[in-house]
Amino acid sequence: MLQKPILSEGAETALRREMEVNVFGLHRMMTAFAPRIAQAGGGTIVNVLSVVSLFVAPFNATYCCSKHAAMALTDGARIQLRKQGVHVVGVYAGFIDTDMARSVGGPKVSARQVAERTIEAMSGSRDHVFGDTVSENIWQTLRKDSSDFEAAQQHAWDTGATPWGSASS
Ligand SMILES: NC(=O)c1ccc[n+]([C@@H]2O[C@H](COP(=O)([O-])OP(=O)(O)OC[C@H]3O[C@@H](n4cnc5c(N)ncnc54)[C@H](OP(=O)(O)O)[C@@H]3O)[C@@H](O)[C@H]2O)c1
């Protein structure tokens, strides 16, 4: 996550890097593994997406672009692979307590919780896994009406306020 707004110095470089890892890397992994999983009788591909697959946070918008695209890859592959017995799961979370979020001061969900919820979803054949309440609430909110949420992002950008509520698990 390179913390670049869409129109900022270095944004194109950041966008290319994030797309390379989060989108083309994901695509290469699925292309390599899906036929083997199908051949072996079926299984699950888990793609770790993000809460910012669901909306654009203006401060790290290039990362959000890559995570939106990663969600589209995940949703497309799920449809394509279902009949081959390959279940494709998308995982969403706010901040997870890993190296990547080391510099984040606010609350973070544990990697263990995200993993446990993912395993639970795999056995229940659910397509979307919410690793924390932040992602679950945002998913529900956006499905009802996204206009307030988008206005909050605009407000965050205009005022420098926190783009979404506190990240609790
Ligand atoms: N942490 C969060 O707050 C958070 C929230 C939502 C979603 N996510 C997503 O969760 C996933 C895992 O991240 P994490 O939190 O576990 O972060 P992490 O602890 O920093 O781990 C990132 C992993 O990605 C690998 N990696 C980085 N650049 C790579 C590259 N160019 N090619 C191949 N591998 C590369 C790293 O490999 P090395 O160890 O070899 O460097 C490392 O294993 C990511 O997709 C991230 O976007 C994270």
Side-chain angles (χ1 to χ4, degrees):
M1 181 164 59
L2 296 171
Q3 299 290 2
K4 285 285 178 195
I6 286 295
L7 302 171
S8 62
E9 201 185 326
E12 183 176 334
T13 305
L15 183 57
R16 284 184 191 280
R17 249 181 91 189
E18 288 165 326
M19 293 295 273
E20 186 57 44
V21 176
N22 294 338
V23 181
F24 292 104
L26 193 65
H27 186 254
R28 281 194 287 269
M29 290 291 280
M30 288 199 292
T31 303
F33 281 100
R36 287 165 176 78
I37 297 170
Q39 226 166 32
T44 308
I45 293 174
V46 174
N47 290 339
V48 184
L49 306 173
S50 169
V51 72
V52 294
S53 295
L54 308 174
F55 72 98
V56 174
F59 304 99
N60 60 0
T62 59
Y63 174 75
C64 300
C65 289
S66 73
K67 287 297 188 180
H68 274 60
M71 181 171 70
L73 286 188
T74 302
D75 290 348
R78 178 180 308 117
I79 294 167
Q80 200 177 337
L81 294 171
R82 198 181 296 277
K83 278 202 173 148
Q84 297 172 39
V86 183
H87 181 212
V88 183
V89 174
V91 178
Y92 312 85
F95 289 118
I96 308 169
D97 195 6
T98 65
D99 277 356
M100 182 178 142
R102 203 183 317 130
S103 62
V104 174
K108 300 170 224 179
V109 68
S110 70
R112 171 179 283 274
Q113 178 174 311
V114 177
E116 282 173 354
R117 288 191 180 192
T118 302
I119 291 163
E120 210 180 287
M122 283 162 66
S123 53
S125 296
R126 288 205 310 279
D127 297 338
H128 306 284
V129 177
F130 302 100
D132 57 7
T133 48
V134 171
S135 57
E136 204 159 8
N137 290 342
I138 289 175
W139 172 275
Q140 299 293 352
T141 301
L142 293 177
R143 266 171 165 55
K144 277 186 230 137
D145 178 7
S146 61
S147 54
D148 283 356
F149 200 82
E150 284 156 11
Q153 296 312 307
Q154 185 67 58
H155 177 74
W157 178 253
D158 293 342
T159 63
T162 310
W164 74 85
S166 68
S168 66
S169 60

